[in-house]
């Protein structure tokens, strides 16, 4: 798959700012970040960390909103993230 313009912009900014961690979910973009040595995380890890830090009360509610807005997540991934979140 191809990397879209937004992901290219994220990678470009990260290259110009060493030490920056980027948030990427697209496989091709993550592969490119890895190739370029850019530290990265994903949206689901951010949600788990936010709940652990008390920033959000529920991972499930946020996952529902993300799915409603077009984020493609399998039921298996949702179950695993909710299990990790203790929900």
């Amino acid at each position: 798959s191809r990397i879209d313009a937004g992901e290219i912009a994220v990678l470009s900014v990260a290259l110009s700012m060493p030490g920056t961690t980027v948030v990427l979910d697209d496989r091709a973009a993550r592969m490119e970040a890895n190739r370029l040595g850019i530290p990265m995380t994903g949206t689901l890890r951010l949600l788990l960390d936010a709940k652990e830090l008390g920033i959000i009360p529920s991972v499930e509610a946020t996952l529902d909103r993300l799915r409603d807005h077009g984020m493609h997540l399998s039921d298996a991934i949702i179950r695993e993230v909710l299990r990790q979140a203790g929900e």
Side-chain angles (χ1 to χ4, degrees):
S1 88
R2 303 180 80 192
I3 301 173
D4 73 26
E7 292 155 341
I8 290 170
V10 166
L11 293 171
S12 296
V13 169
L15 283 173
S16 70
M17 300 176 70
T20 299
T21 298
V22 297
V23 178
L24 296 169
D25 295 312
D26 178 77
R27 179 175 301 212
R30 290 177 70 87
M31 288 174 58
E32 186 63 12
N34 190 48
R35 187 184 73 75
L36 295 168
I38 298 170
M40 71 188 124
T41 192
T43 300
L44 302 178
R45 170 53 44 203
L46 285 180
L47 293 179
L48 290 168
D49 291 348
K51 181 174 180 187
E52 185 176 322
L53 294 169
I55 296 168
I56 61 172
S58 168
V59 169
E60 185 172 23
T62 305
L63 284 175
D64 290 343
R65 284 194 301 270
L66 288 171
R67 280 181 117 178
D68 289 346
H69 286 79
M71 187 172 194
H72 301 287
L73 298 167
S74 72
D75 290 341
I77 288 174
I78 296 267
R79 280 191 304 274
E80 175 58 20
V81 170
L82 293 177
R83 184 194 67 73
Q84 289 182 33
E87 294 182 30

